[in-house]
Amino acid sequence: MNPAATVRSLQQRITEMQPLRLDDRALPTSPGLRPLLPGGALRKGASYAVHGSMQLALALLAEASSAGSWCGVIGCPAFGAEAAAALGVALDRCVLVPSPGSDALGIAGALSEVLTMVLLRPPARVRPGEVERISARLREHGSALVAVGDWPRPESTLRVTESRWRGLGEGHGLLDERELTVQTLDRRGTARHTVRFAGGAVADPAVSEIRRLVPR
C-alpha cells in the first residue's frame, strides 16, 4: 500500500472511531446548553469556565444531577437551594462547601475523585501546579469541573454578555423567563448563543421555538 493510501485509511479509521470515543466521554447535558459546548456535551476529564451567571454555571450541573450523579458546589456561600432545585440539581446528591477558605483547590481536587461534577469559585490566584493536579484527577476519575470565574486552559469559556427578563407586566406578573446572550471561546473559535430559562430551568430550544411561532 502506498503512503497516501495508508494515510487515507488511517484517517477513515480515526473518523469512524472518534464519535464512539466522544460519546464515551460525554456527560448528560441539557439540550438548551449543548450548542455552547464542543461536541455538544460536557466531557469527562474536562474543565469549563463560566463568567457572569451563577445560574448558567449551576445549569451545567443539572442534567447530570437529575440523571443520578453526585455533584459538589465549593466556595459559593450565596448558593440558592431553591434556584438550584428549579434547574434540576438534586439537593440530596449535592455536596456543599460554602466557605472552604484557603483550601478550596485541595477540596475541589479531593471531591473530583468521588463526584461526577464539581462547581468551584476559584481563589483569585491559582498556581499552575494546583491546576495540573486537579486536571490529572479529573482525567483519572472521569469527572468534570465548572469554574465560576477564570480557570487556566478550560475546554470552553462561557461569558454572559447580556441578560433579559420577561413576564412582568404593568405592576403585575412574575419574572419567570430569562434570556442570556453567551459568548463562547473554545477550539471551534468564538461564537454567540442564546440560552433561555423558563420557570427557573433551561428551556428546550425546540419548545422555545414553538412558543415563539404560536401566538399566545
Side-chain angles (χ1 to χ4, degrees), residues 2-208:
N2 63 54
T6 301
V7 170
R8 286 195 297 271
S9 176
L10 182 59
Q11 287 174 332
Q12 182 178 357
R13 291 177 61 188
I14 291 174
T15 301
E16 291 171 351
M17 294 171 62
Q18 191 172 18
L20 177 61
R21 291 168 60 190
L22 290 176
D23 288 345
D24 285 346
R25 298 186 64 188
L27 290 167
T29 307
S30 169
L33 301 179
R34 291 172 189 169
L36 279 64
L37 304 166
L42 295 159
R43 296 171 61 236
K44 298 176 182 178
S47 59
Y48 302 84
V50 178
H51 297 262
S53 175
M54 184 65 177
Q55 185 180 30
L56 178 60
L58 284 170
L60 292 171
L61 274 62
E63 197 78 6
S65 178
S66 297
S69 296
W70 280 75
C71 302
V73 179
I74 306 168
C76 302
F79 173 81
E82 185 175 349
L87 285 165
V89 176
L91 299 179
D92 58 342
R93 293 191 299 274
C94 184
V95 177
L96 300 179
V97 187
S99 302
S102 60
D103 199 28
L105 295 177
I107 293 172
L111 289 181
S112 69
E113 296 184 4
V114 294
L115 305 180
T116 302
M117 299 281 299
V118 175
L119 185 149
L120 166 70
R121 188 180 294 277
R125 297 186 63 182
V126 179
R127 292 190 292 271
E130 295 172 318
V131 174
E132 291 301 326
R133 283 191 289 273
I134 291 178
S135 297
R137 288 180 174 182
L138 295 175
R139 292 191 296 269
E140 180 181 357
H141 298 281
S143 50
L145 175 75
V146 176
V148 184
D150 291 324
W151 188 257
R153 301 184 302 280
E155 176 79 5
S156 183
T157 297
L158 287 61
R159 189 178 301 274
V160 175
T161 58
E162 293 182 57
S163 175
R164 295 169 294 280
W165 289 91
R166 293 192 179 94
L168 189 64
E170 296 181 2
H172 62 86
L174 296 172
L175 291 170
D176 61 350
E177 294 186 9
R178 188 184 188 192
E179 183 177 284
L180 300 179
T181 299
V182 182
Q183 177 181 287
T184 58
L185 176 62
D186 50 51
R187 63 176 180 267
R188 302 171 298 177
T190 302
R192 288 166 62 89
H193 309 267
T194 298
V195 177
R196 294 181 175 88
F197 294 86
V202 178
D204 188 298
V207 174
S208 295

